[in-house]
Amino acid sequence: MRRRPLVFSALAAAPPAAPRARTPAAAAAAPIPFHTAGPGSAFLPYGEALARFLATKGIAVGVRRSAGSLENLARVEDDPAAIGTAFLGSAADALNGTPAAGGRRHRAVRALFPMYETAFMVAAPRARGIARFADLEGKRVGCGPARGPAETFFRAAAEAAGLRAEIVSGDSAALVEAALRGEIDALWQGAIVPIPALAAVAARTEAAVFGPGEEVSQGVVARLPYLAPATVAPGTYRGQDAPIASFAAWNFVVGNAAMPDAAAHALTSAALSAADPAREIAPSAAGTRAANAGTNRVLPFHPGAARALREMGAAVPEIAPPA
């Protein structure tokens, strides 16, 4: 017997004035909207790989491209049927309604399960004469989508370092090309290491890849305690012969508080069912394990997801929902 894909039913606060009738078959065929990011990002290939894996478990997921974490959080806040990828730093912005989140305080977003750790660093073609963070003074630095997490944390690192730079916004793929053409001086990104966009720059030209350095990173972590120091081993990028000192935080797949408990439980259980997620899902999914649930100290867990995580032996932090 063929297994019917699991789908979520959207829960609207108020039905439209004249709703269109939907047959049970049409409702069952609708995949779960999964908001990720744009070309050149790490979220997009992760989401595509996870969707393929979930399909083998009978869960239909439709990957949707976006501008990244902040857009994903807003879409999940507004759509009980949707899920999305989110950086915990952006989630903190969303909960608190900071300017980075457009001043909107999110109340309905809940954590489902861990994805991977994100670290932040820079790639600059050596022709630009940039080899360390202080060299970015006065330079044009690509920082991903406007108001996204990369921009937010570049601003924090620049402030800690006491430097000023011109921030250039755009999707990762476009900024890689801009760096190679000399239209920007450097590209700052955050993702699982090796960061795809920075690896692309280093693969196509002689480049320096570096982080903010230990002192600046400690200053950022002191100000943003959901971050932690991170060190990237030599040889991670082509031409990198020294460790990279930076900071990092985790990414989680998130859903809406109104998602049915059974759906959140089934989705979380399926996503974390791989014995070897790096092999069965994708190399970037190595951290997609129940044991990493405790890395989230920002978002409340969805009760259905928390139940699944505890059934797998994970310690799930108790985080109060926003008032």
Side-chain angles (χ1 to χ4, degrees):
M1 179 179 295
R2 192 175 176 183
R3 183 165 45 181
R4 175 177 292 176
L6 174 69
V7 297
F8 297 169
S9 298
L11 305 176
R20 296 180 63 185
R22 295 182 68 200
T23 66
I32 301 163
F34 187 14
H35 301 280
T36 58
S41 70
F43 276 177
L44 180 57
Y46 176 93
E48 291 171 338
L50 183 62
R52 289 192 295 270
F53 177 74
L54 290 172
T56 69
K57 306 297 179 181
I59 300 179
V61 172
V63 174
R64 299 189 180 181
R65 298 184 180 188
S66 75
S69 291
L70 290 169
E71 180 181 338
N72 300 345
L73 288 159
R75 290 189 178 277
V76 168
E77 176 78 6
D78 294 335
D79 184 359
I83 61 175
T85 54
F87 175 59
L88 288 180
S90 297
D93 284 327
L95 290 180
N96 294 314
T98 67
R104 179 190 185 193
R105 300 188 72 182
H106 294 52
R107 293 287 178 268
V109 177
R110 297 293 184 269
L112 296 177
F113 54 87
M115 293 170 52
Y116 56 76
E117 188 179 44
T118 284
F120 291 85
M121 57 206 68
V122 182
R126 292 196 183 276
R128 312 307 297 175
I130 298 169
R132 58 194 182 108
F133 200 70
D135 295 337
L136 297 177
E137 174 67 36
K139 298 297 192 293
R140 297 163 297 170
V141 183
C143 292
R147 298 189 302 117
E151 178 182 325
T152 297
F153 294 105
F154 179 76
R155 290 186 184 278
E159 182 177 340
L163 65 81
R164 293 185 180 182
E166 177 185 346
I167 291 175
V168 179
S169 301
D171 70 47
S172 298
L175 291 172
V176 167
E177 298 304 320
L180 293 169
R181 290 193 299 263
E183 296 167 4
I184 59 175
D185 299 298
L187 175 58
W188 163 274
Q189 290 280 279
I192 190 170
V193 175
I195 298 172
L198 304 190
V201 172
R204 294 171 60 187
T205 190
E206 294 298 320
V209 183
F210 54 90
E214 186 174 345
E215 183 177 350
V216 171
S217 296
Q218 288 176 347
V220 174
V221 170
R223 188 175 140 204
L224 303 170
Y226 52 80
L227 299 175
T231 302
V232 177
T236 301
Y237 299 95
R238 188 173 79 92
Q240 177 210 344
D241 56 9
I244 297 173
S246 187
F247 52 83
W250 276 78
N251 302 274
F252 271 65
V253 171
V254 300
N256 189 288
M259 180 189 297
D261 279 12
H265 180 274
L267 179 61
T268 300
S269 296
L272 300 178
S273 65
D276 183 355
R279 180 179 59 82
E280 297 175 51
I281 303 175
S284 62
T288 303
R289 298 177 180 274
N292 291 322
T295 60
N296 167 37
R297 298 284 177 177
V298 176
L299 279 175
F301 280 89
H302 190 290
R307 178 163 61 89
L309 289 162
R310 291 189 180 104
E311 288 170 356
M312 296 178 181
V316 180
E318 295 289 341
I319 303 171

